[in-house]
Amino acid sequence: METGDPLKMLKEWISASQKTVVLTGAGMSTESGVPDFRSKNGFYAHYDPAEVASVGAIENHYETFHQFYQRRIEDLKKVKPHKGHEILAQWESEGRIHLIATQNIDRLHQLAGNRNVYELHGNIRTFRCARCDHPAGEESFLAGKRCPQCGGPLRPNVVLFGEMLPQEEWRKTVEEASEADLILIIGTSLNVSPFNQIPFYSRGKKALINMEPTLLDDQLDLRVFGKAGEILSQLHSLLLN
Ligand code: APR
């Protein structure tokens, strides 16, 4: 772990890095008004992940599953990227960051302008039949309709607990991370594997921007505690000088 002012240290690392891969979680979206999962007022304070975010949820608790995603889809209509998202988009266009691999399903990185984004936990903007994979629309899902092909239940294309991550995006993320000088981890508790293993494919430096410590802090090289939007704004100003 490095000593000295972590913010200034991180600014130097970003400046010097030839290839920076950014990993984000729900803490990247809370300043846009999207709750995270495991903070005290996060989604899992009100919902049991096994009942809303697991494969079994569709078969055993479809009403709770549907309500959970219906609410998130409606809420997302009111949110937009914040300053931190915009800075990451600017950093991509300046070549300061190479790729964002995100656990988030809200597409706020893409809305802010980032093009190199891998959604390793899927997205909540497209839908399919849970039984025959026939594509479905948001309106049909929100209206609680069944699949027109087989009558099965509809679901968003998010990765649920117990499901595989999208293999091509996973392979490419691991490849890029293994060549990165810097892995910048923003707004995640690093609770969920295999996403939380990505930093350790890299021999480069691993830095965290987060509101609170994570499970893997002792394996990271530097930590800056605070709000993602604020820390990224401070880093952005430091990088301009
Ligand atoms: N700035 C920085 N960090 C923040 C902010 C913020 N504005 N708001 C919250 N955080 C931090 C919290 O302190 C917490 O450590 O972000 C982290 C969010 O952790 P989780 O709620 O566990 O979210 P995440 O790590 O993305 O969860 C991973 O779990 O349920 C699954 O699929 C779901 O993708 C999700 C995965």
Side-chain angles (χ1 to χ4, degrees):
M1 194 74 80
E2 299 286 334
T3 55
D5 175 358
L7 195 70
K8 288 201 172 61
M9 181 79 63
L10 182 50
K11 174 251 179 187
E12 293 306 328
W13 290 6
I14 294 170
S15 240
S17 174
Q18 297 301 307
K19 186 170 201 174
T20 298
V21 167
V22 176
L23 307 180
T24 62
M28 185 70 219
S29 298
T30 54
E31 290 157 86
S32 289
V34 184
D36 66 12
F37 295 94
R38 296 175 181 83
S39 288
K40 59 184 177 314
N41 55 358
F43 279 120
Y44 294 160
H46 310 284
Y47 289 92
D48 171 359
E51 283 199 9
V52 294
S54 67
V55 180
I58 297 175
E59 294 303 328
N60 308 323
H61 314 283
Y62 188 76
E63 277 315 302
T64 312
F65 172 88
H66 185 267
Q67 184 208 52
F68 179 61
Y69 286 102
Q70 187 179 43
R71 176 191 143 187
R72 293 177 68 188
I73 291 160
E74 297 295 355
D75 288 351
L76 273 180
K77 293 186 189 307
K78 304 171 216 137
V79 305
K80 59 182 181 43
H82 60 72
K83 179 83 180 137
H85 290 106
E86 288 160 9
I87 287 168
L88 291 178
Q90 190 173 338
W91 285 3
E92 179 188 85
S93 61
E94 291 167 352
R96 282 194 197 285
I97 63 170
H98 187 76
L99 166 77
I100 297 179
T102 187
Q103 300 170 95
N104 299 338
I105 59 176
D106 52 37
R107 293 201 155 166
L108 290 176
H109 287 305
Q110 295 94 321
L111 281 172
N114 281 88
R115 286 192 299 280
N116 296 332
V117 181
Y118 292 140
E119 296 173 317
L120 294 184
H121 288 180
N123 75 79
I124 200 171
R125 309 279 191 178
T126 58
F127 304 82
R128 70 178 190 269
C129 171
R131 205 169 291 159
C132 73
D133 285 343
H134 183 69
E138 178 177 288
E139 288 320 307
S140 303
F141 175 76
L142 290 175
K145 292 215 176 108
R146 307 289 290 188
C147 170
Q149 291 271 87
C150 75
L154 303 183
R155 57 166 290 176
N157 287 325
V158 296
V159 177
L160 300 172
F161 284 116
E163 290 186 316
M164 296 279 285
L165 273 58
Q167 288 303 292
E168 188 51 16
E169 286 86 343
W170 171 257
R171 186 189 63 75
K172 288 194 279 191
T173 298
V174 166
E175 194 177 297
E176 301 285 7
S178 62
E179 294 161 3
D181 313 307
L182 175 61
I183 304 284
L184 180 54
I185 306 160
I186 309 174
T188 176
S189 61
L190 291 174
N191 248 290
V192 174
S193 70
F195 189 93
N196 63 3
Q197 296 309 303
I198 298 168
F200 310 107
Y201 284 96
S202 166
R203 287 188 299 277
K205 296 187 185 337
K206 301 148 186 77
L208 173 79
I209 296 173
N210 208 54
M211 288 283 277
E212 59 195 347
T214 75
L215 293 174
L216 303 177
D217 275 22
D218 56 346
Q219 298 172 61
L220 306 180
D221 300 302
L222 183 142
R223 300 173 304 169
V224 181
F225 290 120
K227 288 189 168 186
E230 289 170 14
I231 303 291
L232 287 168
S233 299
Q234 290 164 28
L235 282 167
H236 192 57
S237 310
L238 286 171
L239 286 162
L240 291 176
N241 300 327

